[in-house]
mmCIF file of all heavy atoms in Angstrom:
data_model
loop_
_atom_site.group_PDB
_atom_site.id
_atom_site.type_symbol
_atom_site.label_atom_id
_atom_site.label_comp_id
_atom_site.label_asym_id
_atom_site.label_seq_id
_atom_site.Cartn_x
_atom_site.Cartn_y
_atom_site.Cartn_z
ATOM 1 N N PHE A 640 -36.623 35.206 22.499
ATOM 2 C CA PHE A 640 -37.478 35.687 21.415
ATOM 3 C C PHE A 640 -38.909 35.181 21.587
ATOM 4 O O PHE A 640 -39.871 35.916 21.355
ATOM 5 C CB PHE A 640 -36.908 35.271 20.059
ATOM 6 C CG PHE A 640 -36.026 36.314 19.436
ATOM 7 C CD1 PHE A 640 -34.730 36.519 19.899
ATOM 8 C CD2 PHE A 640 -36.486 37.111 18.403
ATOM 9 C CE1 PHE A 640 -33.913 37.480 19.333
ATOM 10 C CE2 PHE A 640 -35.683 38.090 17.827
ATOM 11 C CZ PHE A 640 -34.394 38.276 18.294
ATOM 12 N N TRP A 641 -39.054 33.923 22.003
ATOM 13 C CA TRP A 641 -40.394 33.392 22.245
ATOM 14 C C TRP A 641 -41.066 34.102 23.423
ATOM 15 O O TRP A 641 -42.263 34.389 23.384
ATOM 16 C CB TRP A 641 -40.326 31.881 22.488
ATOM 17 C CG TRP A 641 -40.295 31.107 21.208
ATOM 18 C CD1 TRP A 641 -39.208 30.831 20.435
ATOM 19 C CD2 TRP A 641 -41.416 30.534 20.533
ATOM 20 N NE1 TRP A 641 -39.567 30.118 19.324
ATOM 21 C CE2 TRP A 641 -40.929 29.913 19.353
ATOM 22 C CE3 TRP A 641 -42.783 30.471 20.798
ATOM 23 C CZ2 TRP A 641 -41.757 29.244 18.458
ATOM 24 C CZ3 TRP A 641 -43.624 29.803 19.908
ATOM 25 C CH2 TRP A 641 -43.103 29.206 18.750
ATOM 26 N N LEU A 642 -40.313 34.400 24.460
ATOM 27 C CA LEU A 642 -40.871 35.122 25.599
ATOM 28 C C LEU A 642 -41.359 36.504 25.180
ATOM 29 O O LEU A 642 -42.374 36.991 25.694
ATOM 30 C CB LEU A 642 -39.831 35.234 26.711
ATOM 31 C CG LEU A 642 -39.476 33.935 27.444
ATOM 32 C CD1 LEU A 642 -38.326 34.172 28.418
ATOM 33 C CD2 LEU A 642 -40.690 33.355 28.170
ATOM 34 N N CYS A 643 -40.648 37.125 24.265
ATOM 35 C CA CYS A 643 -41.089 38.426 23.766
ATOM 36 C C CYS A 643 -42.425 38.309 23.036
ATOM 37 O O CYS A 643 -43.360 39.083 23.279
ATOM 38 C CB CYS A 643 -40.026 39.012 22.830
ATOM 39 S SG CYS A 643 -38.559 39.647 23.673
ATOM 40 N N VAL A 644 -42.516 37.351 22.129
ATOM 41 C CA VAL A 644 -43.731 37.216 21.325
ATOM 42 C C VAL A 644 -44.944 36.935 22.199
ATOM 43 O O VAL A 644 -46.011 37.538 22.029
ATOM 44 C CB VAL A 644 -43.549 36.118 20.257
ATOM 45 C CG1 VAL A 644 -44.890 35.787 19.593
ATOM 46 C CG2 VAL A 644 -42.545 36.558 19.213
ATOM 47 N N VAL A 645 -44.785 36.019 23.172
ATOM 48 C CA VAL A 645 -45.932 35.660 24.003
ATOM 49 C C VAL A 645 -46.293 36.788 24.970
ATOM 50 O O VAL A 645 -47.391 36.813 25.526
ATOM 51 C CB VAL A 645 -45.651 34.330 24.750
ATOM 52 C CG1 VAL A 645 -44.789 34.552 25.971
ATOM 53 C CG2 VAL A 645 -46.944 33.610 25.104
ATOM 54 N N ALA A 646 -45.373 37.742 25.146
ATOM 55 C CA ALA A 646 -45.656 38.924 25.970
ATOM 56 C C ALA A 646 -46.241 40.062 25.150
ATOM 57 O O ALA A 646 -46.507 41.145 25.695
ATOM 58 C CB ALA A 646 -44.381 39.393 26.669
ATOM 59 N N GLY A 647 -46.432 39.850 23.848
ATOM 60 C CA GLY A 647 -46.948 40.911 22.995
ATOM 61 C C GLY A 647 -45.891 41.937 22.640
ATOM 62 O O GLY A 647 -46.214 43.065 22.251
ATOM 63 N N ALA A 648 -44.620 41.543 22.745
ATOM 64 C CA ALA A 648 -43.496 42.437 22.449
ATOM 65 C C ALA A 648 -42.630 41.796 21.368
ATOM 66 O O ALA A 648 -42.997 40.786 20.757
ATOM 67 C CB ALA A 648 -42.693 42.707 23.720
ATOM 68 N N TYR A 649 -41.440 42.375 21.170
ATOM 69 C CA TYR A 649 -40.533 41.891 20.133
ATOM 70 C C TYR A 649 -39.113 41.852 20.683
ATOM 71 O O TYR A 649 -38.756 42.622 21.578
ATOM 72 C CB TYR A 649 -40.616 42.782 18.893
ATOM 73 C CG TYR A 649 -41.999 42.761 18.285
ATOM 74 C CD1 TYR A 649 -42.942 43.732 18.631
ATOM 75 C CD2 TYR A 649 -42.386 41.740 17.425
ATOM 76 C CE1 TYR A 649 -44.229 43.699 18.107
ATOM 77 C CE2 TYR A 649 -43.673 41.693 16.894
ATOM 78 C CZ TYR A 649 -44.588 42.670 17.240
ATOM 79 O OH TYR A 649 -45.863 42.615 16.736
ATOM 80 N N GLY A 650 -38.301 40.944 20.129
ATOM 81 C CA GLY A 650 -36.955 40.735 20.640
ATOM 82 C C GLY A 650 -35.874 41.295 19.740
ATOM 83 O O GLY A 650 -36.116 41.635 18.578
ATOM 84 N N GLY A 651 -34.665 41.374 20.291
ATOM 85 C CA GLY A 651 -33.495 41.816 19.543
ATOM 86 C C GLY A 651 -32.347 40.846 19.736
ATOM 87 O O GLY A 651 -32.048 40.432 20.852
ATOM 88 N N HIS A 652 -31.706 40.480 18.638
ATOM 89 C CA HIS A 652 -30.612 39.510 18.641
ATOM 90 C C HIS A 652 -29.266 40.216 18.663
ATOM 91 O O HIS A 652 -29.109 41.357 18.238
ATOM 92 C CB HIS A 652 -30.728 38.646 17.381
ATOM 93 C CG HIS A 652 -29.494 37.868 17.018
ATOM 94 N ND1 HIS A 652 -28.472 38.397 16.238
ATOM 95 C CD2 HIS A 652 -29.118 36.599 17.312
ATOM 96 C CE1 HIS A 652 -27.534 37.480 16.068
ATOM 97 N NE2 HIS A 652 -27.898 36.384 16.698
ATOM 98 N N GLY A 653 -28.276 39.518 19.169
ATOM 99 C CA GLY A 653 -26.894 39.931 19.050
ATOM 100 C C GLY A 653 -26.019 38.705 19.213
ATOM 101 O O GLY A 653 -26.460 37.688 19.767
ATOM 102 N N GLU A 654 -24.782 38.776 18.724
ATOM 103 C CA GLU A 654 -23.921 37.594 18.761
ATOM 104 C C GLU A 654 -22.488 37.998 19.048
ATOM 105 O O GLU A 654 -21.958 38.907 18.404
ATOM 106 C CB GLU A 654 -24.015 36.866 17.417
ATOM 107 C CG GLU A 654 -23.311 35.520 17.416
ATOM 108 C CD GLU A 654 -23.486 34.791 16.090
ATOM 109 O OE1 GLU A 654 -24.598 34.275 15.829
ATOM 110 O OE2 GLU A 654 -22.523 34.765 15.312
ATOM 111 N N THR A 655 -21.872 37.307 20.019
ATOM 112 C CA THR A 655 -20.528 37.678 20.471
ATOM 113 C C THR A 655 -19.666 36.436 20.658
ATOM 114 O O THR A 655 -19.198 36.150 21.764
ATOM 115 C CB THR A 655 -20.602 38.479 21.787
ATOM 116 O OG1 THR A 655 -21.476 37.794 22.699
ATOM 117 C CG2 THR A 655 -21.123 39.888 21.561
ATOM 118 N N TYR A 656 -19.437 35.707 19.596
ATOM 119 C CA TYR A 656 -18.548 34.549 19.646
ATOM 120 C C TYR A 656 -17.130 34.966 19.286
ATOM 121 O O TYR A 656 -16.909 35.773 18.378
ATOM 122 C CB TYR A 656 -19.008 33.466 18.665
ATOM 123 C CG TYR A 656 -20.158 32.634 19.178
ATOM 124 C CD1 TYR A 656 -21.443 32.799 18.674
ATOM 125 C CD2 TYR A 656 -19.955 31.692 20.183
ATOM 126 C CE1 TYR A 656 -22.494 32.045 19.151
ATOM 127 C CE2 TYR A 656 -21.016 30.926 20.663
ATOM 128 C CZ TYR A 656 -22.279 31.110 20.145
ATOM 129 O OH TYR A 656 -23.315 30.357 20.617
ATOM 130 N N VAL A 657 -16.171 34.392 20.002
ATOM 131 C CA VAL A 657 -14.762 34.701 19.744
ATOM 132 C C VAL A 657 -13.938 33.458 20.061
ATOM 133 O O VAL A 657 -14.276 32.668 20.954
ATOM 134 C CB VAL A 657 -14.310 35.911 20.601
ATOM 135 C CG1 VAL A 657 -14.356 35.590 22.079
ATOM 136 C CG2 VAL A 657 -12.942 36.401 20.183
ATOM 137 N N SER A 658 -12.857 33.274 19.319
ATOM 138 C CA SER A 658 -11.956 32.145 19.576
ATOM 139 C C SER A 658 -10.748 32.618 20.363
ATOM 140 O O SER A 658 -10.431 33.815 20.398
ATOM 141 C CB SER A 658 -11.491 31.517 18.257
ATOM 142 O OG SER A 658 -10.599 32.388 17.571
ATOM 143 N N HIS A 659 -10.037 31.666 20.997
ATOM 144 C CA HIS A 659 -8.836 32.022 21.771
ATOM 145 C C HIS A 659 -7.763 32.613 20.862
ATOM 146 O O HIS A 659 -7.050 33.544 21.254
ATOM 147 C CB HIS A 659 -8.311 30.793 22.509
ATOM 148 C CG HIS A 659 -9.225 30.313 23.595
ATOM 149 N ND1 HIS A 659 -9.482 31.051 24.727
ATOM 150 C CD2 HIS A 659 -9.948 29.168 23.728
ATOM 151 C CE1 HIS A 659 -10.327 30.399 25.514
ATOM 152 N NE2 HIS A 659 -10.621 29.251 24.928
ATOM 153 N N ASP A 660 -7.625 32.082 19.657
ATOM 154 C CA ASP A 660 -6.631 32.626 18.733
ATOM 155 C C ASP A 660 -6.941 34.071 18.377
ATOM 156 O O ASP A 660 -6.028 34.911 18.302
ATOM 157 C CB ASP A 660 -6.590 31.779 17.453
ATOM 158 C CG ASP A 660 -5.945 30.417 17.676
ATOM 159 O OD1 ASP A 660 -5.237 30.263 18.695
ATOM 160 O OD2 ASP A 660 -6.146 29.522 16.835
ATOM 161 N N GLU A 661 -8.208 34.372 18.158
ATOM 162 C CA GLU A 661 -8.593 35.738 17.831
ATOM 163 C C GLU A 661 -8.278 36.679 18.986
ATOM 164 O O GLU A 661 -7.813 37.809 18.775
ATOM 165 C CB GLU A 661 -10.090 35.794 17.507
ATOM 166 C CG GLU A 661 -10.464 35.184 16.171
ATOM 167 C CD GLU A 661 -11.957 35.159 15.949
ATOM 168 O OE1 GLU A 661 -12.708 35.011 16.947
ATOM 169 O OE2 GLU A 661 -12.383 35.283 14.801
ATOM 170 N N ILE A 662 -8.507 36.226 20.206
ATOM 171 C CA ILE A 662 -8.221 37.067 21.372
ATOM 172 C C ILE A 662 -6.732 37.317 21.496
ATOM 173 O O ILE A 662 -6.279 38.451 21.701
ATOM 174 C CB ILE A 662 -8.777 36.405 22.648
ATOM 175 C CG1 ILE A 662 -10.301 36.329 22.590
ATOM 176 C CG2 ILE A 662 -8.344 37.190 23.881
ATOM 177 C CD1 ILE A 662 -10.913 35.551 23.722
ATOM 178 N N GLU A 663 -5.941 36.250 21.374
ATOM 179 C CA GLU A 663 -4.495 36.377 21.531
ATOM 180 C C GLU A 663 -3.889 37.278 20.455
ATOM 181 O O GLU A 663 -2.931 38.003 20.712
ATOM 182 C CB GLU A 663 -3.850 34.996 21.490
ATOM 183 C CG GLU A 663 -4.170 34.149 22.728
ATOM 184 C CD GLU A 663 -3.640 32.734 22.607
ATOM 185 O OE1 GLU A 663 -3.007 32.429 21.572
ATOM 186 O OE2 GLU A 663 -3.861 31.934 23.539
ATOM 187 N N ASN A 664 -4.450 37.246 19.255
ATOM 188 C CA ASN A 664 -3.912 38.048 18.155
ATOM 189 C C ASN A 664 -4.639 39.380 17.970
ATOM 190 O O ASN A 664 -4.356 40.117 17.024
ATOM 191 C CB ASN A 664 -3.983 37.249 16.849
ATOM 192 C CG ASN A 664 -3.093 36.021 16.882
ATOM 193 O OD1 ASN A 664 -1.919 36.119 17.214
ATOM 194 N ND2 ASN A 664 -3.647 34.869 16.536
ATOM 195 N N ASP A 665 -5.567 39.653 18.894
ATOM 196 C CA ASP A 665 -6.340 40.893 18.852
ATOM 197 C C ASP A 665 -6.999 41.086 17.491
ATOM 198 O O ASP A 665 -6.993 42.180 16.920
ATOM 199 C CB ASP A 665 -5.446 42.094 19.180
ATOM 200 C CG ASP A 665 -6.271 43.335 19.533
ATOM 201 O OD1 ASP A 665 -7.418 43.172 19.988
ATOM 202 O OD2 ASP A 665 -5.772 44.464 19.336
ATOM 203 N N LYS A 666 -7.567 40.005 16.965
ATOM 204 C CA LYS A 666 -8.220 40.060 15.655
ATOM 205 C C LYS A 666 -9.648 39.521 15.727
ATOM 206 O O LYS A 666 -10.154 38.942 14.764
ATOM 207 C CB LYS A 666 -7.404 39.287 14.620
ATOM 208 C CG LYS A 666 -6.055 39.917 14.297
ATOM 209 C CD LYS A 666 -5.344 39.150 13.202
ATOM 210 C CE LYS A 666 -4.012 39.815 12.850
ATOM 211 N NZ LYS A 666 -3.300 39.085 11.772
ATOM 212 N N ALA A 667 -10.276 39.679 16.855
ATOM 213 C CA ALA A 667 -11.624 39.151 17.032
ATOM 214 C C ALA A 667 -12.625 39.908 16.161
ATOM 215 O O ALA A 667 -12.632 41.141 16.121
ATOM 216 C CB ALA A 667 -12.032 39.236 18.496
#
């Protein structure tokens, strides 16, 4: 995000955290 700002541009966030239990139970 800082690299975007100093380049005169803008950034986009995303988040992909998952636990082993969620994966095993297909409930992520």
Side-chain angles (χ1 to χ4, degrees):
F640 266 76
W641 277 84
L642 290 174
C643 286
V644 169
V645 80
Y649 298 94
H652 163 273
E654 188 177 286
T655 48
Y656 281 106
V657 65
S658 70
H659 292 294
D660 288 342
E661 287 175 327
I662 295 173
E663 290 174 1
N664 295 309
D665 196 26
K666 293 184 178 180

